[in-house]
Amino acid sequence: SILSSASMFSWNIYRPFSKKNSETKMVIVTKISILVVGFLATLLALHVKSVYSLWFLCSDLVYVVLFPQLVMVLFFKRSNCYGAFMGILIGSFLRFGGGEASLGIPDFLPYPMFYEGLGLMFPFRSFAMISSMVSIGFFSVLAEFFFKPIRE
């Protein structure tokens, strides 16, 4: 997983922004990325008390962040990178707004249906996923409108 994350960073993020991409430079960037990702993974593993809670959080993030991206790319032809970026931001904000006990993040959005003893009963994960999907469509169309060249 660490090698995969580091390779994705060096290939998909670093390479497009670098002017001179030599094989040696990419290997060095990948090795540095492995160290950074490994360090961050170690910090996360030391902070979280349960592997199950990390797995549950990962499934939440797939549901809230990746699922709307996949659906919109497959079924909404006007989706673009601007909408995708805003979908990630809005979905993540709304998901973590409900709090995450395993990472020590308190809830900071006042979702309705909070009951003493039961906790938050509002389906904020589904709300975050639907909001992410809607925002991908909205911001894609908005970006297309503003960045499309004017035709005479």
Side-chain angles (χ1 to χ4, degrees):
S1 295
I2 292 172
L3 178 60
S4 174
S5 300
S7 297
M8 282 192 285
F9 170 79
S10 60
W11 189 256
N12 296 330
I13 296 174
Y14 176 77
R15 187 183 53 87
F17 294 110
S18 177
K19 300 292 181 208
K20 298 177 183 174
N21 292 321
S22 68
E23 183 96 17
T24 308
K25 194 173 188 181
M26 289 301 292
V27 169
I28 292 171
V29 169
T30 303
K31 287 180 180 182
I32 292 170
S33 299
I34 288 171
L35 292 174
V36 170
V37 171
F39 178 73
L40 292 174
T42 302
L43 284 179
L44 185 63
L46 291 174
H47 181 71
V48 176
K49 296 180 182 17
S50 169
V51 174
Y52 176 73
S53 64
L54 282 179
W55 181 84
F56 192 74
L57 175 61
C58 183
S59 66
D60 273 0
L61 293 178
V62 167
Y63 178 61
V64 170
V65 175
L66 294 181
F67 177 67
Q69 303 285 332
L70 176 67
V71 168
M72 294 304 282
V73 165
L74 290 177
F75 299 110
F76 186 68
K77 299 300 179 200
R78 295 172 69 182
S79 64
N80 56 38
C81 63
Y82 301 106
F85 181 71
M86 290 305 293
I88 290 170
L89 287 180
I90 291 171
S92 298
F93 178 76
L94 293 174
R95 165 56 187 91
F96 286 109
E100 181 56 44
S102 64
L103 296 178
I105 300 173
D107 54 337
F108 55 85
L109 292 177
Y111 286 120
M113 298 171 51
F114 182 82
Y115 303 107
E116 288 297 325
L118 293 175
L120 184 61
M121 301 302 289
F122 182 73
F124 67 94
R125 292 171 181 91
S126 295
F127 176 71
M129 185 274 298
I130 292 169
S131 298
S132 176
M133 198 175 297
V134 169
S135 64
I136 291 168
F138 175 76
F139 285 105
S140 292
V141 171
L142 191 66
E144 184 180 278
F145 175 76
F146 281 114
F147 297 129
K148 192 177 219 179
I150 298 173
R151 296 187 182 135
E152 297 180 46

